[in-house]
Amino acid sequence: MALSRSVEVAVPADPAGDGDRDKIRLRQLGYKQELKRGLSTLSNFAFSFANISVLTGVTATYNTGLRYGGPVSMTLGWLVVALFNGCVALSMAEICSAYPTSGGLYYWSAKLAGKEWASLASWVTGWFNIVGQWAAIASVDFSLAQLLQVIILLSTGGANGGGYMASKYVVLVICAIILILHGVINSLPIQWLSLFGQIGAIWNAAGVFVLVILIPAVAKDRPSVEFVFTHLNTDNGMGIHSKAYILAVGLLMSQYSVLGYDTSAHMVEETKNADRSGPIGIITSVVCATVFGWIYLLALTTAVTDIPYLLSPGNDAGGYAIAQALYTAFRRRFGSGAGGIACLGAVAVAIFLCGIACVTSNSRMAYAFSRDGAMPLSRVWYRVNKHEVPLNVVWLAVAVAFFMALTSLGSQVAFQALGSIATLGMYIAYALPVFFRVTTARRSFVPGPFNLGKYGVLVGWVGVVWVATVTVLFSLPVAYPVANKETFNYTPVAVGGVLLLSVGAWVLHARFWFQGPITNTSDGPI
């Protein structure tokens, strides 16, 4: 990686440290400063790290990893995903340094795709990004509602001891309450949001640290090292017997768990020294999430000995593997599962803080997208209140996420597809500007202070090929035979639907008026 001063337009230094340098650079990109620039590099990183929240991702998708491949698909699969995902993050950091705007991905695509394709590239990238973020909010908040339901179930005696099992309607109401709380918190000034972001980062780091020590120490029955790193679970009950197929589907857990680092890019118009702080936020959040997530996975797997029992709907936790593993470990050691319930409570706090960061990131992206006229009723969404907060798009995110969560009433499999939709939607949005960067590198990309030097194109291509690969993998059937709505993989339908609708809207309507990012300064971009 190289550092240089080669930016699109020379930006004067800011010795006073009052943010003028950032305002000048933003104006050069075509925008006036409207959001309050009060975030430091640390705060920018904290938002991304809290959004990624490995405690959230790993906990919410551990059942998937355990069912499809088991320990080996998680412990070693995590490292495979980390390698390729790191290439995507590095390329995004490089582009963020060159174009530090809240629009992030869709703005980058417009600048890198070339004049002929700029508006279409921007349009499609933006819609994949925003739909992926909406799905992520719904997925995170609903997973928190499910976890709270499991905590209540275990606290009242468990499924086999007369515990309270909430209906799907009650779980949906809990999800709605969580979404409203996240909307209220995101209506606060950026100083308060920054505090929540920092608390989220600290809570995730401290939570992983405590659980990594506590779980192996409490668990009486621990698997062998060989089991943790090499055992392949083929007893998934889904009619899939190919080991390669099982491992491929199992990678969803790792891919989903390190998602959301575009938050650093969406927060750059509120961050000081944005062309350096943004890239640093992306890279450090991914590195920290990768390390913390892996050791958390290892700790959890030390409490796994009977995979079929942990996944069985007939256990005390109703089939919630992590909850059952922790509950059993503490009960065998101390005669009570209260300690396991407390651990689940700590994870629930991490997921709640993650949801705050998800709404924050989405609101900034939607604010920028509506600023460029790309969203219906853009004039409504492109508004900030007296605290310089884009309040309307905050509540738009809450509303859309709730409507997405309603799919849980029809089919649990359909709702579970939201995790895949969030993953693929976001990663496709990540990959598109990277693709344009590597295909137009010689003619249009001028790096910012952070750049990869001669390795930029190679790293970018590795990231693009990886996203293309996982897009195919996660669209494959996850159960055989595919006979009904409970075994159908809705992911390709949803992702294909976003592509079809965005391109269709472009062809029929948007191409006549949407020209990509538009400026709101008198002199336009330089």
Side-chain angles (χ1 to χ4, degrees):
M1 294 178 289
L3 287 174
S4 75
R5 285 285 181 181
S6 177
V7 294
E8 193 170 83
V9 178
V11 182
D14 179 27
D18 60 1
D20 285 347
R21 180 178 179 277
D22 290 307
K23 291 180 183 178
I24 293 171
R25 181 62 186 129
L26 186 60
R27 189 175 185 85
Q28 290 171 340
L29 294 173
Y31 299 111
K32 58 185 178 181
Q33 186 75 50
E34 294 178 305
L35 300 175
K36 185 175 181 62
R37 199 176 287 273
L39 299 181
S40 64
T41 302
L42 178 62
S43 296
N44 183 283
F45 152 79
F47 270 113
S48 268
F49 188 60
N51 195 339
I52 295 173
S53 181
V54 289
L55 286 176
T56 298
V58 172
T59 303
T61 57
Y62 194 80
N63 270 42
T64 299
L66 204 57
R67 187 180 303 280
Y68 295 98
V72 68
S73 73
M74 296 185 290
T75 55
L76 297 186
W78 182 276
L79 299 179
V80 173
V81 170
L83 175 64
F84 292 109
N85 194 43
C87 292
V88 179
L90 283 170
S91 292
M92 286 176 57
E94 183 181 50
I95 301 171
C96 180
S97 183
Y99 305 110
T101 74
S102 290
L105 310 170
Y106 83 88
Y107 183 96
W108 305 344
S109 287
K111 290 298 181 181
L112 297 170
K115 186 175 181 180
E116 182 179 357
W117 297 100
S119 51
L120 175 59
S122 177
W123 177 266
V124 173
T125 302
W127 279 109
F128 265 109
N129 193 189
I130 200 166
V131 172
Q133 287 183 335
W134 283 334
I137 295 169
S139 177
V140 167
D141 282 16
F142 193 84
S143 68
L144 175 55
Q146 288 179 312
L147 180 58
L148 291 176
Q149 181 267 322
V150 172
I151 290 174
I152 294 170
L153 174 64
L154 292 174
S155 299
T156 54
N160 297 312
Y164 174 71
M165 175 71 78
S167 70
K168 59 184 179 181
Y169 299 100
V170 173
V171 174
L172 185 63
V173 169
I174 295 173
C175 177
I177 293 171
I178 295 167
L179 282 166
I180 292 171
L181 289 174
H182 285 160
V184 170
I185 292 171
N186 271 277
S187 301
L188 299 173
I190 188 62
Q191 294 92 331
W192 285 99
L193 282 178
S194 175
L195 177 62
F196 278 105
Q198 292 175 26
I199 292 173
I202 294 170
W203 191 274
N204 269 275
V208 169
F209 180 77
V210 172
L211 291 174
V212 163
I213 295 174
L214 190 61
I215 295 172
V218 170
K220 276 189 171 183
D221 300 321
R222 291 190 292 269
S224 65
V225 174
E226 181 182 3
F227 178 90
V228 172
F229 289 103
T230 65
H231 180 72
L232 175 65
N233 176 43
T234 57
D235 183 20
N236 51 64
M238 294 299 187
I240 300 176
H241 305 292
S242 168
K243 293 181 180 180
Y245 200 134
I246 291 170
L247 286 171
V249 176
L251 292 178
L252 173 63
M253 190 216 71
S254 301
Q255 196 73 30
Y256 175 83
S257 297
V258 187
L259 179 69
Y261 46 86
D262 60 316
T263 300
S264 287
H266 296 309
M267 302 302 295
V268 289
E269 288 187 31
E270 296 164 88
T271 304
K272 300 171 184 176
N273 298 315
D275 54 2
R276 294 177 181 272
S277 298
I280 290 172
I282 291 172
I283 295 169
T284 53
S285 62
V286 170
V287 170
C288 290
T290 298
V291 173
F292 280 85
W294 192 61
I295 61 176
Y296 177 49
L297 265 176
L298 291 179
L300 286 175
T301 310
T302 61
V304 172
T305 54
D306 188 347
I307 295 176
Y309 174 69
L310 293 180
L311 294 172
S312 171
N315 63 33
D316 282 322
Y320 201 115
I322 286 181
Q324 185 62 53
L326 293 176
Y327 186 74
T328 300
F330 276 87
R331 189 170 57 182
R332 287 178 179 174
R333 173 71 68 175
F334 302 108
S336 169
I341 296 173
C343 290
L344 294 174
V347 173
V349 173
I351 300 176
F352 183 82
L353 294 167
C354 172
I356 295 173
C358 286
V359 175
T360 304
S361 178
N362 173 264
S363 64
R364 271 50 181 184
M365 189 272 158
Y367 159 81
F369 210 34
S370 59
R371 176 174 63 187
D372 293 320
M375 294 179 64
L377 304 175
S378 284
R379 291 184 179 180
V380 175
W381 313 128
Y382 172 47
R383 290 179 183 173
V384 295
N385 64 9
K386 63 181 182 179
H387 299 297
E388 300 176 321
V389 174
L391 193 62
N392 291 351
V393 288
V394 166
W395 290 100
L396 174 66
V398 169
V400 173
F402 176 74
F403 281 109
M404 285 185 165
L406 288 175
T407 58
S408 65
L409 298 178
S411 167
Q412 191 61 32
V413 175
F415 177 78
Q416 288 171 350
L418 278 181
S420 297
I421 296 165
T423 304
L424 289 187
M426 297 280 279
Y427 275 105
I428 290 171
Y430 290 0
L432 284 171
V434 175
F435 172 76
F436 296 128
R437 181 261 185 269
V438 296
T439 54
T440 63
R442 294 183 178 179
R443 54 188 172 87
S444 66
F445 182 70
V446 181
F450 174 87
N451 68 86
L452 303 175
K454 63 181 180 180
Y455 300 106
V457 173
L458 175 61
V459 171
W461 271 120
V462 172
V464 169
V465 171
W466 173 249
V467 172
T469 301
V470 297
T471 300
V472 174
L473 293 180
F474 296 163
S475 297
L476 297 174
V478 295
Y480 286 95
V482 183
N484 53 54
K485 67 179 183 179
E486 295 300 329
T487 57
F488 184 75
N489 184 0
Y490 292 85
T491 302
V493 176
V495 174
V498 175
L499 179 62
L500 182 63
L501 289 173
S502 61
V503 173
W506 167 261
V507 171
L508 297 175
H509 183 56
R511 66 189 176 97
F512 299 109
W513 55 268
F514 182 70
Q515 301 300 315
I518 58 177
T519 62
N520 62 7
T521 60
S522 57
D523 49 358
I526 299 176

